[in-house]
Amino acid sequence: MTESAALPSRFSFSQSSLQSFLSCAYQFRLRYLDRLVWPAQLTRDQATFERDRQAGIRLHHLIHQYILGIDLSELVLSAKNDPDSRVWPWFEQFLAFPAKELEGRLFPEYSLTAVLNGWQLSARFDLIQVTPQALVIYDWKSSHRPPARAWLGDRVQTSLFPLVVSLSGSQVSGQAIPLPVRMSYWEASAPSQTIDFFFGEAEISAAGQWISGLIKTIAGLRPDQFLKTTDLARCRYCPYRTLCERDVASGNYQEEEPQHLLYDVDWVPAA
């Protein structure tokens, strides 16, 4: 393992950190290496974004409680009385979703770490389902509009989660991981079916090579080599745009809904 002057040897790579690097290497440096909290708003309509984010968090919490076996009538009452009127319809749609009746061993809101070529990977899963025949990763979403399958396929999360499970999932399964691993996205805005990706040996190997290559690139950079993106459209939803002195107006989340803001849920670093 080669350690750069910039990257700590114990750095743990997540979907958000790797996606951040792909979006803008300089953003990665400011956020994950310098750990800089910058006060600029993510969007022009920050209140709308925050309202949607919090509603999505509460939906996740309701689903988590449901899987844990909390009394359904209490959860329904909570959803119906949520301050955001969308939460009950979302939860109602989930209750009509066939996959809610899941067999096997269930691991909701579960975190795993794995090691790839000496570097640590980390992932937090909405739900892992394990049966003797299959391992399924479920991810719950609540976007205004469902994303395209091709867009999801390009996201780090879609490759990283099955890779982490394949490397360390025996911790939860107690057995060799049954392949293919299924990565299954459920969208509250399109609840009738999931968007599924299947990872057999070839796909797991390809994911490992891609992510290993990303990490090798990051680890080989000096601090001054984390360059700003040349795609100014990416700056529209970056809080560091004022720090970078980019003459770019903040985006209108309500009109455009940039998917990365909802799919990378830990996008905003903690102070």
Side-chain angles (χ1 to χ4, degrees):
M1 178 176 65
T2 301
E3 182 177 350
S4 71
L7 192 64
S9 59
R10 295 185 179 180
F11 189 86
S12 184
F13 288 92
S14 67
Q15 59 153 330
S16 284
S17 62
L18 291 169
Q19 198 69 60
S20 176
F21 179 78
L22 289 174
S23 178
C24 174
Y26 191 63
Q27 180 195 92
F28 176 94
R29 173 189 163 178
L30 293 175
R31 181 182 174 193
Y32 292 101
L33 303 182
D34 298 342
R35 302 188 65 81
L36 178 64
V37 178
W38 196 251
Q41 293 189 161
L42 284 176
T43 74
R44 194 181 312 162
D45 44 351
Q46 184 69 19
T48 299
F49 165 66
E50 186 60 25
R51 181 196 68 193
D52 289 357
R53 191 177 74 89
Q54 291 297 330
I57 289 172
R58 293 195 298 274
L59 173 66
H60 274 69
H61 188 54
L62 285 166
I63 295 174
H64 182 203
Q65 289 178 305
Y66 175 84
I67 294 170
L68 290 177
I70 303 298
D71 183 73
L72 179 58
S73 62
E74 294 183 11
L75 298 179
V76 168
L77 182 63
S78 177
K80 287 183 175 180
N81 287 284
D82 192 273
D84 193 307
S85 61
R86 297 170 298 174
V87 170
W88 163 238
W90 287 344
F91 188 55
E92 188 177 31
Q93 295 278 23
F94 173 79
L95 294 176
F97 176 52
K100 73 179 180 62
E101 303 294 347
L102 297 174
E103 299 178 347
R105 301 173 65 194
L106 305 180
F107 300 87
E109 299 297 330
Y110 199 83
S111 295
L112 280 176
T113 60
V115 176
L116 180 67
N117 295 335
W119 290 100
Q120 181 171 291
L121 307 177
S122 61
R124 183 170 179 84
F125 304 86
D126 288 347
L127 176 65
I128 300 175
Q129 176 198 17
V130 181
T131 71
Q133 297 79 31
L135 189 148
V136 185
I137 301 165
Y138 286 99
D139 206 75
W140 323 119
K141 301 301 184 189
S142 55
S143 301
H144 290 298
R145 296 178 298 275
R149 177 184 175 82
W151 184 90
L152 280 175
D154 288 338
R155 303 302 288 177
V156 169
Q157 180 184 15
T158 301
S159 294
L160 179 68
F161 278 24
L163 177 63
V164 169
V165 160
S166 73
L167 292 173
S168 62
S170 58
Q171 298 174 25
V172 295
S173 68
Q175 61 184 37
I177 299 300
L179 296 178
V181 171
R182 175 157 61 100
M183 179 75 199
S184 186
Y185 291 97
W186 179 82
E187 273 282 352
S189 57
S192 60
Q193 60 184 10
T194 57
I195 301 176
D196 297 330
F197 298 86
F198 293 87
F199 284 76
E201 290 185 6
E203 290 79 12
I204 292 291
S205 177
Q209 291 177 22
W210 178 50
I211 289 173
S212 179
L214 276 179
I215 293 174
K216 184 177 180 180
T217 297
I218 296 169
L221 295 178
R222 300 188 309 270
D224 62 338
Q225 292 178 315
F226 288 84
L227 303 179
K228 298 175 184 177
T229 181
T230 58
D231 182 0
L232 297 186
R234 297 182 180 181
C235 303
R236 286 167 55 78
Y237 297 93
C238 177
Y240 302 114
R241 62 183 174 275
T242 54
L243 174 68
C244 295
E245 299 181 345
R246 290 284 174 94
D247 187 21
V248 178
S250 59
N252 190 321
Y253 163 76
Q254 196 168 12
E255 292 179 1
E256 301 175 38
E257 190 187 354
Q259 295 287 352
H260 70 275
L261 287 176
L262 292 185
Y263 277 77
D264 295 335
V265 293
D266 62 337
W267 204 93
V268 183

